[in-house]
Amino acid sequence: MAEQKIIWKERKRTIFGLPLSFTTYTLTEEKLLIKSGLFNIKEEEIRLYRILDMTLQRTFGERIFGLGSIHVDSADKSTPEFFIARIKRSAEIKELLSDKVEQQREKKRVSSREYMSDNFSDDDM
């Protein structure tokens, strides 16, 4: 399979909004990759259609340096919850990610009903 085109790539920012961390975020048409570490590297892959919910969070300190963090809930078993932490253009990136998630759900014909909690039965509806 050919490598997918990168839509967005950013490094987690640290103090004063400088990209001095060892965490990078990469968005392609089908997945979000989170690579972290210097000596021991961990790479997480989240399929976009598995993302359930996103929340933009911007602390006072982040706002001063034009940063924000996106809290993401997913149906991925190994990564059910994660942050895209301290990135530039956070609101714009959240909207981009949201659009790509919807595109992938439509492409894969996945509805949000498939991710409803097992606590509900058909009799409850």
Side-chain angles (χ1 to χ4, degrees):
M1 182 184 262
E3 190 170 320
Q4 289 191 18
K5 178 184 161 204
I6 295 173
I7 297 170
W8 170 75
K9 189 169 186 170
E10 175 73 71
R11 183 172 248 142
K12 179 179 172 183
R13 305 279 171 155
T14 58
I15 192 165
F16 305 121
L18 300 172
L20 300 175
S21 77
F22 297 101
T23 300
T24 58
Y25 307 103
T26 305
L27 177 64
T28 69
E29 286 291 329
E30 293 184 358
K31 56 191 166 187
L32 176 67
L33 301 167
I34 303 171
K35 187 175 179 181
S36 59
L38 175 60
F39 297 113
N40 297 321
I41 296 174
K42 177 181 177 184
E43 187 170 309
E44 298 176 79
E45 176 181 305
I46 299 93
R47 296 282 173 177
L48 296 182
Y49 73 90
R50 299 185 72 84
I51 292 177
L52 301 174
D53 189 43
M54 291 177 279
T55 306
L56 178 63
Q57 299 178 351
R58 298 181 74 205
T59 65
F60 180 69
E62 287 176 335
R63 288 192 334 251
I64 288 173
F65 296 107
L67 305 175
S69 296
I70 304 168
H71 176 258
V72 181
D73 290 311
S74 79
D76 190 273
K77 290 186 191 273
S78 64
T79 316
E81 180 180 19
F82 61 93
F83 276 92
I84 302 172
R86 295 191 303 272
I87 58 170
K88 293 255 185 212
R89 303 175 14 234
S90 56
E92 181 182 330
I93 298 306
K94 179 186 167 284
E95 287 303 313
L96 172 66
L97 184 57
S98 182
D99 291 344
K100 294 299 177 187
V101 166
E102 286 305 313
Q103 287 174 8
Q104 283 301 303
R105 283 186 178 176
E106 288 175 13
K107 181 179 177 182
K108 305 243 185 236
R109 295 189 163 115
V110 175
S111 71
S112 59
R113 180 181 168 95
E114 293 179 36
Y115 294 119
M116 289 180 68
S117 173
D118 290 335
N119 296 334
F120 297 105
S121 68
D122 289 336
D123 297 334
D124 293 337
M125 293 183 179

